[in-house]
Amino acid sequence: MHAIVRARLQLGAVTREALRALVSDYAEGFQQAAGIRTVARIDAWAADERGPQLLDNPPRIRDARLPDSGGWEPLAHLEVENRGLDPAPWAVVLRGISEAPEHSPLVVNRTTGHAVLFRGSLALGQRLTIAPSAADRALLRADLDGNDVTDRLTVWTDLTAGAGGPGDPATTLAAGALARGTNVLWFLPLATYDSPGLGRYLLAMADDMLTQARFDTTAFDRSLFAQPALVSARVAWVEAQPATLEVRLHAATLTSQPGGAEDAVLARGRLEAGLDTAVDRTAGAGIAADVVLRAFTERQPGEAHLVGIWPRTFRAAGPTGADSLPDSGATFDVTDFDDSVLS
Protein backbone atom coordinates (compact mmCIF):
# COMPACT_ATOMS: atom_id res chain seq x y z
CA MET A 1 0.00 0.00 0.00
CA HIS A 2 2.79 2.44 0.93
CA ALA A 3 4.53 1.81 -2.40
CA ILE A 4 1.35 2.49 -4.38
CA VAL A 5 0.47 5.61 -2.37
CA ARG A 6 3.95 7.07 -2.89
CA ALA A 7 3.89 6.37 -6.63
CA ARG A 8 0.42 7.84 -7.13
CA LEU A 9 0.38 10.84 -4.81
CA GLN A 10 4.00 11.94 -4.71
CA LEU A 11 5.51 10.97 -8.09
CA GLY A 12 2.68 11.29 -10.60
CA ALA A 13 1.57 7.66 -11.02
CA VAL A 14 2.03 7.20 -14.76
CA THR A 15 5.54 8.65 -15.07
CA ARG A 16 8.62 6.49 -15.51
CA GLU A 17 9.99 7.64 -12.14
CA ALA A 18 6.74 6.78 -10.37
CA LEU A 19 6.73 3.29 -11.83
CA ARG A 20 10.39 2.83 -10.89
CA ALA A 21 9.70 3.80 -7.28
CA LEU A 22 6.61 1.59 -7.17
CA VAL A 23 8.42 -1.48 -8.44
CA SER A 24 11.49 -0.90 -6.28
CA ASP A 25 9.58 -0.20 -3.03
CA TYR A 26 7.11 -3.03 -3.61
CA ALA A 27 9.86 -5.57 -4.37
CA GLU A 28 11.97 -4.52 -1.39
CA GLY A 29 9.08 -4.66 1.05
CA PHE A 30 7.76 -7.98 -0.23
CA GLN A 31 11.17 -9.68 -0.22
CA GLN A 32 11.90 -8.48 3.31
CA ALA A 33 8.56 -9.77 4.58
CA ALA A 34 8.88 -13.13 2.77
CA GLY A 35 12.51 -13.67 3.71
CA ILE A 36 13.72 -14.07 0.13
CA ARG A 37 16.01 -12.16 -2.22
CA THR A 38 15.67 -12.38 -5.99
CA VAL A 39 15.31 -8.80 -7.34
CA ALA A 40 17.93 -6.13 -6.63
CA ARG A 41 17.00 -2.59 -5.68
CA ILE A 42 16.13 -0.44 -8.69
CA ASP A 43 17.86 2.95 -8.59
CA ALA A 44 17.30 3.76 -12.27
CA TRP A 45 15.96 2.17 -15.43
CA ALA A 46 18.66 0.69 -17.64
CA ALA A 47 19.01 1.37 -21.36
CA ASP A 48 19.63 -2.27 -22.26
CA GLU A 49 18.82 -5.77 -21.03
CA ARG A 50 21.79 -5.89 -18.66
CA GLY A 51 19.72 -4.00 -16.11
CA PRO A 52 16.09 -3.39 -15.12
CA GLN A 53 14.10 -2.07 -18.09
CA LEU A 54 10.87 -0.21 -18.66
CA LEU A 55 9.86 -0.73 -22.29
CA ASP A 56 7.17 1.22 -24.12
CA ASN A 57 5.52 -0.74 -26.94
CA PRO A 58 7.72 -3.80 -26.33
CA PRO A 59 8.48 -5.99 -29.34
CA ARG A 60 6.84 -9.39 -29.59
CA ILE A 61 7.83 -12.22 -31.89
CA ARG A 62 4.78 -13.55 -33.73
CA ASP A 63 4.54 -16.52 -36.04
CA ALA A 64 1.93 -18.27 -38.14
CA ARG A 65 1.84 -21.61 -39.93
CA LEU A 66 0.64 -21.44 -43.51
CA PRO A 67 -1.79 -23.10 -43.76
CA ASP A 68 -2.86 -24.14 -40.26
CA SER A 69 -2.43 -27.81 -41.24
CA GLY A 70 -1.10 -29.60 -44.29
CA GLY A 71 0.93 -27.97 -47.03
CA TRP A 72 0.77 -24.75 -49.03
CA GLU A 73 -0.75 -25.46 -52.44
CA PRO A 74 0.52 -23.53 -55.47
CA LEU A 75 -1.50 -20.38 -56.24
CA ALA A 76 -3.11 -20.33 -52.76
CA HIS A 77 -3.60 -16.94 -51.08
CA LEU A 78 -3.23 -17.04 -47.29
CA GLU A 79 -3.45 -14.22 -44.74
CA VAL A 80 -1.38 -13.10 -41.76
CA GLU A 81 -2.13 -10.08 -39.58
CA ASN A 82 0.39 -7.59 -38.25
CA ARG A 83 -1.25 -5.99 -35.22
CA GLY A 84 1.76 -3.86 -34.34
CA LEU A 85 2.30 -0.13 -34.62
CA ASP A 86 4.62 -0.27 -37.61
CA PRO A 87 5.44 -2.38 -40.66
CA ALA A 88 7.22 -5.49 -39.38
CA PRO A 89 10.24 -7.24 -40.93
CA TRP A 90 9.41 -10.88 -41.53
CA ALA A 91 10.97 -14.23 -42.30
CA VAL A 92 9.65 -17.39 -43.92
CA VAL A 93 10.66 -21.02 -43.40
CA LEU A 94 9.71 -23.52 -46.13
CA ARG A 95 9.98 -27.24 -45.45
CA GLY A 96 9.64 -30.11 -47.92
CA ILE A 97 6.83 -32.47 -46.89
CA SER A 98 6.52 -34.80 -49.87
CA GLU A 99 8.66 -37.43 -51.56
CA ALA A 100 8.58 -35.23 -54.66
CA PRO A 101 10.65 -32.02 -54.41
CA GLU A 102 9.32 -28.49 -54.83
CA HIS A 103 11.08 -26.37 -57.43
CA SER A 104 11.73 -22.63 -57.60
CA PRO A 105 9.32 -21.55 -54.82
CA LEU A 106 8.16 -17.93 -54.99
CA VAL A 107 6.52 -16.23 -51.98
CA VAL A 108 4.77 -12.93 -52.68
CA ASN A 109 3.25 -10.41 -50.30
CA ARG A 110 0.43 -9.13 -52.50
CA THR A 111 -0.32 -6.37 -49.99
CA THR A 112 3.11 -4.74 -50.36
CA GLY A 113 4.31 -6.19 -53.68
CA HIS A 114 7.47 -7.62 -52.15
CA ALA A 115 8.42 -11.08 -53.45
CA VAL A 116 11.32 -13.50 -53.02
CA LEU A 117 12.22 -16.45 -55.27
CA PHE A 118 14.55 -19.34 -54.47
CA ARG A 119 16.17 -20.68 -57.64
CA GLY A 120 16.52 -24.28 -56.51
CA SER A 121 14.71 -27.33 -55.23
CA LEU A 122 13.39 -28.27 -51.81
CA ALA A 123 13.35 -32.02 -51.14
CA LEU A 124 11.60 -34.00 -48.43
CA GLY A 125 12.66 -32.82 -44.98
CA GLN A 126 14.83 -29.98 -46.23
CA ARG A 127 14.34 -26.61 -44.56
CA LEU A 128 14.80 -23.31 -46.37
CA THR A 129 14.99 -20.22 -44.15
CA ILE A 130 14.76 -16.77 -45.75
CA ALA A 131 15.19 -13.98 -43.21
CA PRO A 132 16.86 -10.59 -42.70
CA SER A 133 20.61 -11.00 -42.36
CA ALA A 134 22.16 -10.58 -38.92
CA ALA A 135 24.90 -8.46 -40.48
CA ASP A 136 22.47 -6.11 -42.26
CA ARG A 137 18.77 -6.26 -41.42
CA ALA A 138 17.91 -4.45 -44.65
CA LEU A 139 19.09 -7.43 -46.73
CA LEU A 140 17.88 -11.03 -46.95
CA ARG A 141 19.86 -14.18 -46.31
CA ALA A 142 18.87 -17.74 -47.27
CA ASP A 143 19.89 -20.91 -45.47
CA LEU A 144 19.20 -24.46 -46.72
CA ASP A 145 19.87 -27.00 -43.96
CA GLY A 146 22.81 -25.00 -42.64
CA ASN A 147 24.23 -24.06 -46.05
CA ASP A 148 24.28 -20.46 -47.24
CA VAL A 149 22.28 -20.26 -50.50
CA THR A 150 21.78 -16.51 -50.59
CA ASP A 151 23.24 -16.36 -54.10
CA ARG A 152 20.19 -18.29 -55.35
CA LEU A 153 17.67 -15.64 -54.23
CA THR A 154 15.90 -13.14 -56.45
CA VAL A 155 13.83 -10.30 -54.98
CA TRP A 156 11.14 -8.03 -56.39
CA THR A 157 10.10 -4.98 -54.40
CA ASP A 158 7.05 -4.29 -56.61
CA LEU A 159 6.11 -7.53 -58.32
CA THR A 160 3.65 -7.39 -61.22
CA ALA A 161 1.18 -10.26 -61.48
CA GLY A 162 -0.13 -11.52 -64.80
CA ALA A 163 1.23 -11.77 -68.32
CA GLY A 164 3.33 -8.61 -67.98
CA GLY A 165 5.02 -9.82 -64.80
CA PRO A 166 6.91 -10.34 -62.71
CA GLY A 167 8.77 -7.18 -63.71
CA ASP A 168 12.37 -6.21 -63.14
CA PRO A 169 14.01 -7.72 -60.03
CA ALA A 170 15.56 -5.50 -57.39
CA THR A 171 19.27 -4.74 -57.62
CA THR A 172 19.75 -5.86 -54.01
CA LEU A 173 18.20 -8.59 -51.85
CA ALA A 174 16.06 -6.06 -50.02
CA ALA A 175 14.17 -7.41 -47.00
CA GLY A 176 10.42 -6.89 -46.99
CA ALA A 177 8.01 -5.92 -44.23
CA LEU A 178 4.47 -6.88 -43.33
CA ALA A 179 2.17 -3.88 -43.60
CA ARG A 180 -0.01 -3.00 -40.63
CA GLY A 181 -3.16 -5.07 -40.64
CA THR A 182 -3.92 -7.97 -42.95
CA ASN A 183 -1.29 -9.16 -45.43
CA VAL A 184 -2.12 -11.57 -48.26
CA LEU A 185 0.71 -14.02 -49.00
CA TRP A 186 0.80 -15.90 -52.30
CA PHE A 187 2.83 -18.97 -53.20
CA LEU A 188 3.67 -20.51 -56.57
CA PRO A 189 6.58 -22.33 -58.22
CA LEU A 190 7.88 -20.08 -61.02
CA ALA A 191 10.17 -21.27 -63.82
CA THR A 192 13.67 -19.82 -63.87
CA TYR A 193 16.48 -20.38 -66.33
CA ASP A 194 18.76 -23.35 -65.62
CA SER A 195 16.67 -24.61 -62.68
CA PRO A 196 14.92 -28.01 -62.68
CA GLY A 197 11.20 -28.49 -62.25
CA LEU A 198 9.55 -29.03 -65.64
CA GLY A 199 5.99 -30.23 -65.08
CA ARG A 200 5.76 -28.53 -61.69
CA TYR A 201 6.43 -24.83 -62.08
CA LEU A 202 4.57 -22.23 -64.12
CA LEU A 203 6.26 -21.08 -67.31
CA ALA A 204 4.65 -17.62 -67.06
CA MET A 205 3.72 -15.32 -64.20
CA ALA A 206 0.19 -16.03 -62.97
CA ASP A 207 -2.35 -13.39 -62.02
CA ASP A 208 -4.37 -13.26 -58.82
CA MET A 209 -7.44 -14.82 -60.46
CA LEU A 210 -5.67 -18.02 -61.49
CA THR A 211 -6.43 -20.90 -59.13
CA GLN A 212 -6.31 -24.65 -58.89
CA ALA A 213 -9.37 -26.33 -60.36
CA ARG A 214 -12.12 -27.22 -57.89
CA PHE A 215 -15.38 -28.74 -59.13
CA ASP A 216 -18.32 -26.33 -58.89
CA THR A 217 -16.08 -23.73 -57.24
CA THR A 218 -13.55 -22.29 -59.70
CA ALA A 219 -13.98 -20.92 -63.21
CA PHE A 220 -13.00 -23.26 -66.05
CA ASP A 221 -10.95 -20.65 -67.95
CA ARG A 222 -9.20 -19.36 -64.80
CA SER A 223 -8.07 -22.73 -63.40
CA LEU A 224 -5.18 -25.14 -63.71
CA PHE A 225 -5.14 -28.85 -63.00
CA ALA A 226 -4.72 -29.26 -59.25
CA GLN A 227 -1.21 -29.87 -57.92
CA PRO A 228 -0.53 -31.36 -54.49
CA ALA A 229 1.15 -29.30 -51.78
CA LEU A 230 4.83 -30.19 -51.49
CA VAL A 231 5.93 -27.66 -48.84
CA SER A 232 4.70 -26.28 -45.55
CA ALA A 233 5.51 -22.76 -44.42
CA ARG A 234 5.93 -20.81 -41.22
CA VAL A 235 6.11 -17.01 -41.19
CA ALA A 236 7.60 -15.04 -38.30
CA TRP A 237 7.73 -11.30 -37.64
CA VAL A 238 8.34 -8.81 -34.82
CA GLU A 239 5.51 -6.54 -33.70
CA ALA A 240 5.69 -3.36 -31.64
CA GLN A 241 2.67 -3.72 -29.35
CA PRO A 242 0.49 -0.60 -29.13
CA ALA A 243 -0.61 0.87 -25.77
CA THR A 244 1.62 -1.54 -23.85
CA LEU A 245 4.47 -1.27 -21.38
CA GLU A 246 6.62 -4.00 -19.92
CA VAL A 247 8.89 -4.07 -16.88
CA ARG A 248 11.76 -6.55 -17.12
CA LEU A 249 13.66 -7.38 -13.93
CA HIS A 250 16.64 -9.67 -13.46
CA ALA A 251 15.80 -12.56 -11.15
CA ALA A 252 18.46 -15.13 -12.02
CA THR A 253 19.07 -16.13 -8.38
CA LEU A 254 16.77 -16.86 -5.45
CA THR A 255 18.01 -16.97 -1.85
CA SER A 256 16.04 -17.94 1.26
CA GLN A 257 16.42 -19.29 4.76
CA PRO A 258 17.77 -22.88 5.09
CA GLY A 259 15.04 -25.41 4.38
CA GLY A 260 12.71 -22.80 2.88
CA ALA A 261 13.41 -23.38 -0.81
CA GLU A 262 9.89 -24.59 -1.63
CA ASP A 263 8.21 -21.63 0.11
CA ALA A 264 10.70 -19.27 -1.55
CA VAL A 265 9.73 -20.47 -5.02
CA LEU A 266 6.05 -19.89 -4.22
CA ALA A 267 6.87 -16.45 -2.82
CA ARG A 268 8.74 -15.54 -5.99
CA GLY A 269 5.61 -16.32 -7.99
CA ARG A 270 3.48 -14.16 -5.69
CA LEU A 271 5.99 -11.33 -6.01
CA GLU A 272 5.72 -11.39 -9.81
CA ALA A 273 1.90 -11.52 -9.69
CA GLY A 274 1.76 -8.69 -7.13
CA LEU A 275 4.10 -6.46 -9.12
CA ASP A 276 2.10 -7.16 -12.25
CA THR A 277 -1.15 -6.11 -10.59
CA ALA A 278 0.36 -3.01 -8.93
CA VAL A 279 1.92 -1.70 -12.14
CA ASP A 280 -1.23 -2.45 -14.14
CA ARG A 281 -3.35 -0.41 -11.69
CA THR A 282 -0.89 2.49 -11.63
CA ALA A 283 -0.13 2.80 -15.35
CA GLY A 284 -2.24 5.05 -17.55
CA ALA A 285 -5.81 4.21 -18.50
CA GLY A 286 -6.08 1.89 -21.47
CA ILE A 287 -2.45 0.77 -21.23
CA ALA A 288 -1.70 -2.93 -20.83
CA ALA A 289 1.16 -3.52 -18.40
CA ASP A 290 3.22 -6.58 -17.63
CA VAL A 291 6.05 -7.34 -15.20
CA VAL A 292 8.48 -10.11 -16.10
CA LEU A 293 11.01 -11.59 -13.67
CA ARG A 294 13.74 -12.86 -15.95
CA ALA A 295 15.12 -16.07 -14.51
CA PHE A 296 18.31 -17.74 -15.69
CA THR A 297 17.70 -19.71 -18.89
CA GLU A 298 19.88 -21.75 -21.18
CA ARG A 299 18.92 -22.44 -24.78
CA GLN A 300 20.12 -25.48 -26.68
CA PRO A 301 18.36 -25.33 -30.04
CA GLY A 302 18.22 -28.58 -31.96
CA GLU A 303 18.80 -28.94 -35.67
CA ALA A 304 17.37 -32.46 -36.14
CA HIS A 305 14.83 -32.73 -38.94
CA LEU A 306 13.37 -35.28 -41.32
CA VAL A 307 15.59 -36.07 -44.30
CA GLY A 308 14.17 -39.37 -45.57
CA ILE A 309 11.65 -42.15 -45.15
CA TRP A 310 12.74 -45.79 -45.13
CA PRO A 311 12.46 -48.19 -46.78
CA ARG A 312 13.10 -46.10 -49.87
CA THR A 313 11.12 -47.06 -52.96
CA PHE A 314 12.62 -46.57 -56.41
CA ARG A 315 10.34 -46.37 -59.41
CA ALA A 316 11.03 -46.08 -63.12
CA ALA A 317 8.75 -45.41 -66.06
CA GLY A 318 9.15 -45.40 -69.81
CA PRO A 319 7.20 -45.78 -73.05
CA THR A 320 5.81 -49.20 -73.93
CA GLY A 321 6.85 -50.78 -77.26
CA ALA A 322 7.71 -53.94 -79.14
CA ASP A 323 9.85 -56.63 -77.57
CA SER A 324 12.28 -56.61 -80.50
CA LEU A 325 14.48 -53.99 -82.12
CA PRO A 326 13.19 -52.46 -85.37
CA ASP A 327 15.16 -52.65 -88.61
CA SER A 328 17.84 -50.02 -89.01
CA GLY A 329 15.99 -48.12 -91.71
CA ALA A 330 13.03 -47.99 -94.03
CA THR A 331 13.57 -49.41 -97.51
CA PHE A 332 10.75 -49.53 -100.02
CA ASP A 333 9.53 -53.06 -100.69
CA VAL A 334 12.22 -54.43 -98.35
CA THR A 335 11.33 -53.65 -94.73
CA ASP A 336 7.93 -53.92 -93.09
CA PHE A 337 6.14 -50.66 -92.43
CA ASP A 338 5.45 -51.42 -88.71
CA ASP A 339 9.06 -52.37 -88.00
CA SER A 340 10.83 -49.55 -89.82
CA VAL A 341 12.26 -46.18 -88.91
CA LEU A 342 13.09 -43.36 -91.27
CA SER A 343 16.69 -43.50 -92.45
Side-chain angles (χ1 to χ4, degrees):
M1 180 184 294
H2 291 170
I4 293 177
V5 168
R6 181 188 175 203
R8 289 185 175 181
L9 300 184
Q10 296 181 8
L11 299 174
V14 297
T15 65
R16 294 176 64 87
E17 177 60 20
L19 293 176
R20 182 204 64 80
L22 169 63
V23 172
S24 181
D25 292 350
Y26 191 111
E28 285 293 319
F30 185 98
Q31 291 176 107
Q32 183 177 0
I36 64 171
R37 173 60 59 178
T38 186
V39 175
R41 183 169 184 84
I42 304 169
D43 296 320
W45 296 119
D48 55 43
E49 61 182 12
R50 290 176 293 182
Q53 290 181 282
L54 175 61
L55 300 178
D56 297 317
N57 311 121
R60 280 286 184 273
I61 298 176
R62 306 294 189 193
D63 71 288
R65 193 183 189 282
L66 300 177
D68 294 335
S69 61
W72 198 352
E73 293 183 347
L75 300 176
H77 291 72
L78 302 176
E79 295 181 353
V80 295
E81 186 173 4
N82 172 20
R83 299 180 180 180
L85 287 171
D86 307 300
W90 64 293
V92 61
V93 179
L94 299 177
R95 187 187 296 274
I97 60 172
S98 175
E99 292 186 6
E102 184 62 277
H103 303 286
S104 300
L106 172 69
V107 179
V108 186
N109 185 339
R110 293 300 292 138
T111 303
T112 64
H114 186 271
V116 58
L117 168 72
F118 173 64
R119 303 186 308 276
S121 300
L122 197 60
L124 174 66
Q126 286 190 309
R127 181 179 57 196
L128 174 66
T129 303
I130 303 174
S133 171
D136 186 350
R137 293 294 183 183
L139 300 177
L140 289 176
R141 180 183 184 275
D143 179 281
L144 181 63
D145 287 346
N147 300 311
D148 189 344
V149 291
T150 306
D151 59 334
R152 287 195 268 169
L153 290 183
T154 301
V155 167
W156 289 265
T157 56
D158 189 15
L159 180 132
T160 302
D168 295 327
T171 56
T172 63
L173 300 179
L178 297 180
R180 292 184 61 191
T182 300
N183 291 256
V184 178
L185 301 185
W186 189 32
F187 166 75
L188 64 153
L190 184 64
T192 57
Y193 179 74
D194 207 23
S195 295
L198 187 62
R200 176 65 184 179
Y201 50 38
L202 299 180
L203 295 176
M205 187 66 206
D207 59 27
D208 290 306
M209 301 300 294
L210 192 65
T211 62
Q212 294 203 28
R214 295 289 188 273
F215 183 73
D216 253 359
T217 302
T218 57
F220 178 80
D221 58 349
R222 305 303 303 167
S223 303
L224 296 178
F225 286 112
Q227 290 181 315
L230 302 183
V231 297
S232 65
R234 185 170 292 276
V235 174
W237 65 98
V238 180
E239 289 182 357
Q241 299 180 98
T244 304
L245 65 84
E246 183 175 280
V247 176
R248 298 179 180 177
L249 306 176
H250 280 283
T253 60
L254 174 62
T255 60
S256 64
Q257 296 296 324
E262 185 175 344
D263 291 338
V265 172
L266 295 175
R268 182 189 181 282
R270 292 196 298 272
L271 170 61
E272 184 171 14
L275 282 171
D276 197 61
T277 301
V279 171
D280 187 58
R281 290 179 177 178
T282 306
I287 296 177
D290 189 23
V291 177
V292 178
L293 299 188
R294 304 177 66 180
F296 176 78
T297 58
E298 183 177 4
R299 297 178 66 248
Q300 295 181 337
E303 293 295 331
H305 57 278
L306 178 67
V307 295
I309 296 177
W310 296 91
R312 185 169 292 178
T313 302
F314 296 92
R315 297 184 176 89
T320 60
D323 57 359
S324 62
L325 294 175
D327 292 333
S328 61
T331 304
F332 186 72
D333 265 350
V334 175
T335 57
D336 293 333
F337 178 80
D338 292 337
D339 292 326
S340 302
V341 294
L342 294 178
S343 299

